[in-house]
Amino acid sequence: MATEAIDYSAEPSTRRPSAIRIPTLNGSPNGSPNGNATKPEPEAPPPDPDPLSDPQPLGARRASHSTTATARRESHSAPSDFVVLERIPTFLQPSLPWRDRLLHFTFAWYTVTMSTSGVSLVLAIAPKRFPGLSTLGLVIFLLDLLFFLFITAAISLRFMLYKHTLRRAFTRPSEALFVPTLMLSLAAIISNIAEYTRLFLSPRSGGAISRFLEVAFWSYLVVTFLLSILQYHLLFTVKADRRLAISSMTPAWILPIFPVMLAGTIAGGAAKNLPAERAVSVLAAGLAAQGLGFLVSAFFYATYLGRLMAHGLPVQRPGMFIAVGPPSFTCAAFVAIAAEMPRIFAELSAPGEVGKVGGILVSDLTGQGDVATLAAGIRVAAVVSGVFLWGLSFWFFTSAVVAVAAGMPDRKFHLSWWSFVFPNVGFTISSIRIGNAVGSQGVLWTSTVMTAVLFVAWAFILFRCVRAVRKREIVWPGHDEDA
C-alpha cells in the first residue's frame, strides 16, 4: 500500500543538496518491507523534484533510474556527485499528535498483557521459593491488570475515532492474527486469579472463588470456540490480494486456535475446589478443548516446517517461539487435570455417594479394581504423555534459540518480541509440573533457572517496548501490524 512521502526538512533553504525525499512502499519509509536501507545505484540528482507531484508512477521512476544507472556503468562516465538515498530515522522525524499515532495501536499490544500475566503465573507456582516471591508475583499481576485496562481503552478509542479500522482489524491478516491475544490475556488473568487467591485469601473464600472460576471457564470456552471458527472463516475468505502465502508462513497462524487450547489450562485450576461431579465436567471439557487446540496446531506444524525447508528462516525470528506453546501448554494441562483424579474418585467412591462420573458408575470404570489404582494409572499416563510432548517443545525452543543466535535481520523492536516470553511461560510451567509429578529435584532446579531467565527477559523487553514508543519505532505510520 503506497503512502504519501513526508518532507522532513524544516526550511527549504536548509535542505541538503544531495538529499532526495523517498516515497514509501507498504507503509515502510524506505520502500523495503524488511525495513532495510535501500541504496540504489548512485546517480546525479534531478533538479529538486517533488515526489508528491511527480506524474510518473513509482515503478516507472524506478525503472527509469535503473536504466540510467546501467547506461552510466556501460559508458564509465558517471558524474562525481553521486547520491545515496538514506532512510531518515523515525526519532528524527517530526512528531505526530497522539490522536494520529493511536490509529496504529493494534491488537498485537495484548501480547504485553498475556506475557506479563504469564510471568506472574510462573512466579506463583515456582518450586523453589524465597520470602517475598509471592508478593512480587502479585505486584506484577496487578500491574498487568492496569496494562490490560489501558490497552483495552486505547483500542476502543481507536475504533471510535477511526471506525473503518474495526472491520479491517478482523479482515487484514497481518493484524487479524493477533486478535486472539485478547483472549489469551484473559486466560492468563483467570489462571492468575486461581493461583493468587489460593496464596493470599483464606480457605473460607474458596467456595465463592470456585464458583467464579467455574463460570469464567465455561464462558471462556464458549466464546473462544466460536471466535476460532469465525476468525479462521474470515481468513479463509479474505480477498485474494490479502490472502496469506505459504512462503511467509509463521507459527502466528496458530494464534486463532490458541485460546481454545488454553481452556484446558484453566480447567486444571478451576476444578480444584469444585464438587466431584462438577469438577469432572470441567476437566472433560477442558481436555476436549486442549486436544482440539493441540491437533489443529500440529496440522499447521507440517506447513511451517515445509516453509522453513523451502524458503528459509523468517525475518521476524522471535515469532518462531510461538511453536513452543501448544505442546508445552498441553503437557501442563495433562498433568494438572490428572492431579485432580485421586480426589475426585475418592469423593465419588465415599460411603453414601452415588459414585458416578457423568452418569457412568465408577465401578464400571475400575472393574474389580479399586478407585485409587484407577486414579494412579491416569496420573502415570498423563505424566508419560506430558514428557512425550515436552520433548517436542524443547526441540522447537532450541531451534528458535539457534535461529535468533544466528542473527536477526530486523533488529528494530516489534511487538513480536513478546514471543520471547509467553510461549516460554508454557514451557516453564510444563517443566515445573513434570518436576513436581515425578519428584525430580534436577527438573525443579532447572525450571527455577528458567523462571529467573524468563523474568529477566520480560523486564528487558518491557524496557525496550517503552523505549520503542518513545523512539517512534512502533505506534507509528508503517511500523505496526496495520501497515
Side-chain angles (χ1 to χ4, degrees):
M1 178 182 68
T3 57
E4 293 184 350
I6 303 175
D7 187 354
Y8 301 105
S9 56
E11 295 291 339
S13 59
T14 61
R15 290 185 57 197
R16 297 191 315 167
S18 61
I20 297 179
R21 290 166 289 167
I22 308 170
T24 63
L25 183 63
N26 292 330
S28 179
N30 62 342
S32 172
N34 295 331
N36 300 322
T38 303
K39 296 184 178 181
E41 197 69 29
E43 62 186 66
D48 196 18
D50 187 353
L52 300 180
S53 59
D54 188 353
Q56 283 187 296
L58 180 59
R61 291 200 302 273
R62 284 185 170 176
S64 174
H65 293 170
S66 176
T67 303
T68 304
T70 302
R72 284 172 179 161
R73 282 197 302 269
E74 293 175 351
S75 61
H76 303 285
S77 58
S80 59
D81 54 343
F82 281 8
V83 174
V84 177
L85 304 182
E86 297 178 349
R87 176 180 179 272
I88 300 179
T90 51
F91 66 89
L92 294 178
Q93 297 175 15
S95 62
L96 289 175
W98 278 105
R99 177 189 175 101
D100 293 343
R101 295 189 68 176
L102 195 64
L103 173 63
H104 309 285
F105 199 95
T106 66
F107 273 103
W109 271 91
Y110 280 111
T111 56
V112 178
T113 53
M114 70 182 195
S115 299
T116 305
S117 274
V119 169
S120 63
L121 181 60
V122 170
L123 294 179
I125 65 174
K128 305 299 181 181
R129 310 190 66 79
F130 57 84
L133 181 61
S134 298
T135 303
L136 174 62
L138 179 61
V139 169
I140 294 177
F141 175 51
L142 296 177
L143 180 65
D144 175 71
L145 293 179
L146 292 177
F147 287 165
F148 184 84
L149 292 175
F150 172 79
I151 292 171
T152 302
I155 290 181
S156 301
L157 188 58
R158 172 201 177 194
F159 291 151
M160 287 189 290
L161 293 176
Y162 307 97
K163 294 182 174 57
H164 67 283
T165 60
L166 177 60
R167 182 175 180 274
R168 292 176 60 189
F170 288 88
T171 57
R172 188 178 294 271
S174 58
E175 182 177 0
L177 287 173
F178 289 93
V179 172
T181 57
L182 166 60
M183 302 309 299
L184 291 172
S185 298
L186 289 175
I189 289 172
I190 294 171
S191 297
N192 271 284
I193 291 174
E195 294 298 330
Y196 283 101
T197 52
R198 176 181 59 82
L199 290 173
F200 287 96
L201 296 183
S202 64
R204 289 178 297 178
S205 62
I209 296 299
S210 296
R211 286 191 294 272
F212 165 77
L213 292 175
E214 184 181 15
V215 173
F217 166 78
W218 288 111
S219 303
Y220 177 87
L221 178 59
V222 172
V223 171
T224 54
F225 181 79
L226 294 176
L227 282 178
S228 67
I229 296 174
L230 174 63
Q231 188 165 15
Y232 274 124
H233 174 75
L234 291 175
L235 291 172
F236 295 159
T237 58
V238 73
K239 293 180 180 179
D241 58 339
R242 294 183 184 174
R243 205 158 289 165
L244 294 166
I246 299 296
S247 60
S248 62
M249 196 274 179
T250 69
W253 290 20
I254 300 171
L255 288 177
I257 201 66
F258 217 132
V260 182
M261 182 169 50
L262 286 195
T265 305
I266 297 175
K272 279 187 176 179
N273 296 317
L274 289 177
E277 192 165 350
R278 286 160 57 191
V280 168
S281 300
V282 169
L283 294 177
L287 184 61
Q290 193 76 40
L292 167 65
F294 174 73
L295 288 176
V296 173
S297 302
F299 299 152
F300 277 113
Y301 283 157
T303 304
Y304 171 55
L305 294 176
R307 174 253 193 269
L308 292 180
M309 292 293 290
H311 302 282
L313 295 172
V315 174
Q316 290 297 325
R317 303 287 167 83
M320 295 179 67
F321 283 98
I322 297 176
V324 179
S328 295
F329 283 106
T330 304
C331 168
F334 278 174
V335 178
I337 289 173
E340 294 300 308
M341 290 296 108
R343 174 187 72 85
I344 291 173
F345 285 166
E347 288 184 14
L348 291 174
S349 61
E353 294 292 332
V354 177
K356 289 187 176 183
V357 179
I360 301 175
L361 289 172
V362 175
S363 59
D364 293 336
L365 294 173
T366 59
Q368 298 301 317
D370 59 21
V371 173
T373 302
L374 173 63
I378 292 176
R379 292 191 66 182
V380 170
V383 172
V384 170
S385 302
V387 174
F388 181 86
L389 293 172
W390 189 92
L392 178 62
S393 301
F394 182 68
W395 188 86
F396 276 121
F397 171 80
T398 307
S399 297
V401 169
V402 171
V404 171
M408 293 176 59
D410 188 358
R411 295 181 179 235
K412 298 188 300 297
F413 180 86
H414 297 276
L415 289 172
S416 63
W417 279 35
W418 287 104
S419 300
F420 283 124
V421 179
F422 185 73
N424 295 321
V425 165
F427 189 43
T428 305
I429 291 175
S430 64
S431 301
I432 292 172
R433 289 185 173 166
I434 288 177
N436 287 328
V438 301
S440 171
Q441 291 299 313
V443 175
L444 292 177
W445 275 111
T446 301
S447 60
T448 300
V449 173
M450 294 167 63
T451 300
V453 173
L454 196 66
F455 176 80
V456 172
W458 169 79
F460 173 73
I461 294 172
L462 181 62
F463 163 75
R464 285 298 308 267
C465 186
V466 174
R467 180 178 178 272
V469 175
R470 291 183 61 251
K471 295 288 188 180
R472 306 166 188 171
E473 294 178 5
I474 55 176
V475 197
W476 193 258
H479 289 256
D480 300 276
E481 291 70 26
D482 64 325

